[in-house]
């Protein structure tokens, strides 16, 4: 079965996410456009909470915005993205010391977990924006953060060529996965003890490098043993974002070329090494 290519952006994709039910796929890019696929600065990350009532977005002005999809002034219908344009977030978290480069909702939407350009991880209160926990396990910028299906842990991807697993409540470091290139994104399978991660060389160098040398494959690791066991090709440039569908039957990757690659389980599960 061939993968499905979705084209809704003219600039590189920065992040893709599914909602809890798996029937909506959010994609954001440097356009700046937020696309919602049915199943004002560049937008760098987006994350809907567990019941899709709140949406978190971040942009190039070094701030994190929280959107309330239910209450009065901040209500918007996710089927009509134009309603977002003139709204104001109900909480704004400024970051003067180190830019937030990725963020997710914590368990039950009570906190926000944010990764910074400095490699730090912060846990913020979703109500006040106050810092609750601060750690630094990465040596360079954190490019992506993804929560596990049961919300007990999350995975980070960093420019220091690693992806790491942390406890979602205490932020305690648990596992590390190593690559030869900067890791732009990582995601946890909802069905298996698998971690997928990818990235490749910097975008400025991709025109002078082949897909083989650039390391643009999706790389699969065993969660417990921290060992790589397979790779899947398909992207023609650096992979900027991964997302598993909540039922685990497919995953999607968004690349520097602006395309979303959608792969069904029958496609990647049958790949050599998987």
């Amino acid at each position: 079965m061939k993968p499905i290519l979705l084209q809704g952006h003219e600039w590189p994709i920065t992040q893709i996410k599914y909602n809890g039910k798996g029937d909506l796929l959010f994609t954001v890019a440097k356009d700046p456009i937020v696309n919602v696929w049915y199943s004002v600065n560049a937008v760098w990350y987006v994350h809907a909470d567990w019941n899709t009532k709140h949406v978190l977005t971040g942009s190039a002005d070094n701030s994190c915005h929280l959107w309330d999809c239910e209450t009065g002034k901040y209500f918007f219908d996710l089927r009509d993205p134009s309603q977002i344009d003139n709204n104001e977030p109900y909480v704004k978290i400024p970051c003067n010391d180190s830019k937030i480069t990725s963020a997710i909702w914590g368990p039950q939407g009570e906190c926000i977990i944010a990764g910074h350009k400095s490699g730090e991880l912060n846990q913020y209160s979703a109500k006040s924006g106050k810092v609750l926990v601060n750690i630094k396990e990465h040596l360079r910028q954190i490019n992506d953060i993804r929560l596990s299906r049961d919300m007990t842990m999350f995975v980070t991807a960093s420019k220091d060529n690693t992806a790491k697993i942390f406890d979602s409540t205490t932020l305690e470091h648990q596992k590390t996965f190593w690559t030869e290139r900067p890791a732009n994104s990582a995601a946890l399978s909802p069905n298996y003890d698998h971690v997928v991660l990818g990235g490749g060389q910097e975008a400025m160098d991709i025109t002078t490098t082949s897909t083989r040398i650039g390391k643009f494959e999706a790389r699969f690791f065993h969660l417990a043993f921290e060992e790589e066991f397979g790779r899947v090709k398909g992207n023609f440039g650096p992979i900027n974002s991964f997302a598993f569908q909540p039922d685990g039957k497919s995953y999607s990757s968004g690349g520097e070329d602006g395309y979303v690659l959608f792969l069904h389980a029958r496609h990647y599960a049958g790949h050599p090494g998987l």
Side-chain angles (χ1 to χ4, degrees):
M1 182 178 179
K2 293 183 178 180
I4 299 173
L5 280 177
L6 305 175
Q7 186 179 21
H9 297 282
E10 297 180 356
W11 288 69
I13 291 173
T14 53
Q15 197 165 78
I16 59 177
K17 289 282 180 73
Y18 286 95
N19 70 336
K21 294 182 180 179
D23 57 349
L24 295 176
L25 176 65
F26 298 82
T27 64
V28 294
K30 295 179 183 179
D31 321 42
I33 294 174
V34 178
N35 281 333
V36 182
W37 305 84
Y38 182 75
S39 351
V40 172
N41 294 297
V43 180
W44 287 92
Y45 50 87
V46 62
H47 189 221
D49 67 353
W50 65 282
N51 57 8
T52 322
K53 292 183 178 179
H54 301 82
V55 174
L56 175 157
T57 65
S59 60
D61 63 357
N62 291 5
S63 62
C64 177
H65 299 166
L66 309 186
W67 302 86
D68 190 330
C69 301
E70 280 198 335
T71 59
K73 180 180 179 182
Y74 304 110
F75 175 84
F76 63 87
D77 188 341
L78 291 177
R79 295 168 296 182
D80 182 10
S82 65
Q83 295 183 22
I84 303 174
D85 293 343
N86 298 320
N87 283 350
E88 291 294 332
Y90 68 90
V91 174
K92 185 175 181 178
I93 302 173
C95 299
N96 300 322
D97 297 331
S98 181
K99 174 184 175 182
I100 289 181
T101 49
S102 187
I104 60 169
W105 291 95
Q108 305 302 318
E110 295 178 353
C111 65
I112 298 153
I113 300 168
H116 294 256
K117 188 175 183 178
S118 63
E120 290 181 288
L121 274 171
N122 280 327
Q123 186 185 88
Y124 296 94
S125 167
K127 294 182 179 179
S128 66
K130 180 182 178 181
V131 176
L132 304 176
V133 182
N134 171 266
I135 65 168
K136 185 175 181 181
E137 291 288 343
H138 283 290
L139 301 177
R140 299 183 64 191
Q141 174 177 309
I142 296 173
N143 290 323
D144 195 17
I145 307 175
R146 298 300 173 109
L147 196 64
S148 64
R149 185 176 184 179
D150 62 5
M151 302 183 184
T152 61
M153 59 185 173
F154 62 90
V155 61
T156 58
S158 171
K159 280 189 173 183
D160 64 9
N161 298 5
T162 68
K164 296 177 182 287
I165 301 291
F166 296 88
D167 182 274
S168 61
T169 302
T170 65
L171 302 194
E172 179 184 358
H173 175 225
Q174 298 177 341
K175 300 286 182 179
T176 300
F177 310 93
W178 296 87
T179 68
E180 305 86 10
R181 301 279 184 173
N184 292 342
S185 184
L188 295 160
S189 169
N191 295 344
Y192 305 102
D193 291 332
H194 295 170
V195 179
V196 61
L197 64 93
Q201 66 188 100
E202 297 291 341
M204 67 181 69
D205 299 324
I206 63 174
T207 57
T208 59
T209 305
S210 71
T211 57
R212 179 177 59 85
I213 299 174
K215 307 291 185 182
F216 302 143
E217 305 101 331
R219 306 176 65 170
F220 285 80
F221 289 77
H222 194 281
L223 176 63
F225 303 125
E226 302 170 88
E227 295 178 351
E228 183 179 357
F229 63 86
R231 301 186 183 188
V232 175
K233 297 180 180 180
N235 293 87
F236 298 100
I239 298 172
N240 291 340
S241 188
F242 282 111
F244 276 99
Q245 193 170 13
D247 63 10
K249 294 181 179 179
S250 65
Y251 83 91
S252 301
S253 61
E256 189 71 17
D257 55 9
Y259 284 91
V260 175
L261 186 67
F262 177 87
L263 296 99
H264 192 273
R266 286 177 292 178
H267 181 271
Y268 68 82
H271 194 277
L274 296 183

